Amino acid sequence: MRHAPATAENATAVCRRLALPRSTAAVPLARALIRSLLGGSDAPADRDTAELLTAELVANAVEHTTGDDPIELVVELLPTRCRIEVHDPDPAPPGGLSTPAPDREPDPWQEHGRGLLLIRTLSAACGHRPTAQGKAVWFTLPTVPAATPAVPSVPAPRIPLTGS
């Protein structure tokens, strides 16, 4: 197992791993984990975007792999970003994740075909890497800046007008 170099960011990282069934039940389970991890007010990334992109990765892993091996969801929360990976047993890279295929524009009338486009468009970075058991497909989202408290407006002091 490789360890990342010790940095202040790694020291405050939260990492969760969840084995998911290779079935349609995996998508709501993955979304629930993301909702739970990013539900706090100090969450590092946009929860809705993370849920959507995670659902796309998990759905792709379920649809495009074979066998009974589970898939794995890995969520790493860092102070500056959130990294989400989906591991599956198929070593083949996902087509169109890094760059869109020139002749494969999503058909607006089809139910499928826009997941990787969403991941490329809405994430800060995305890609895939080989693993000992197949591959990991990942994306990152940047930290959402904390909301600054609104400064109450103070009315300007009234200066009485004096007439001469």
Side-chain angles (χ1 to χ4, degrees):
M1 173 188 237
R2 290 179 38 194
H3 295 282
T7 65
E9 185 175 63
N10 290 341
T12 59
V14 173
C15 187
R16 297 288 185 267
R17 294 169 120 29
L18 179 65
L20 299 168
R22 208 184 57 72
S23 72
T24 55
V27 174
L29 290 171
R31 289 182 79 117
L33 178 65
I34 297 301
R35 205 169 25 258
S36 171
L37 287 174
L38 297 180
S41 59
D42 59 344
D46 176 55
R47 184 178 75 181
D48 294 335
T49 303
E51 267 192 75
L52 172 66
L53 300 185
T54 300
E56 292 296 337
L57 284 186
V58 170
N60 281 350
V62 168
E63 183 175 340
H64 298 292
T65 60
T66 59
D68 295 327
D69 293 334
I71 57 178
E72 184 178 35
L73 175 64
V74 179
V75 182
E76 186 177 26
L77 304 178
L78 300 160
T80 60
R81 69 188 184 283
C82 169
R83 180 180 172 105
I84 297 174
E85 295 185 344
V86 173
H87 296 232
D88 69 54
D90 184 357
L97 177 64
S98 301
T99 56
D103 60 337
R104 298 195 62 194
E105 281 294 313
D107 183 342
W109 300 106
Q110 294 298 313
E111 188 174 321
H112 301 287
R114 289 177 286 287
L116 296 179
L117 173 65
L118 286 170
I119 292 165
R120 281 194 318 271
T121 304
L122 298 177
S123 67
C126 63
H128 67 279
R129 62 184 174 79
T131 65
Q133 293 78 30
K135 72 173 170 299
V137 183
W138 58 269
F139 68 87
T140 61
L141 294 174
T143 298
V144 175
T148 55
V151 177
S153 62
V154 177
R158 294 184 178 222
I159 303 173
L161 296 175
T162 58
S164 330

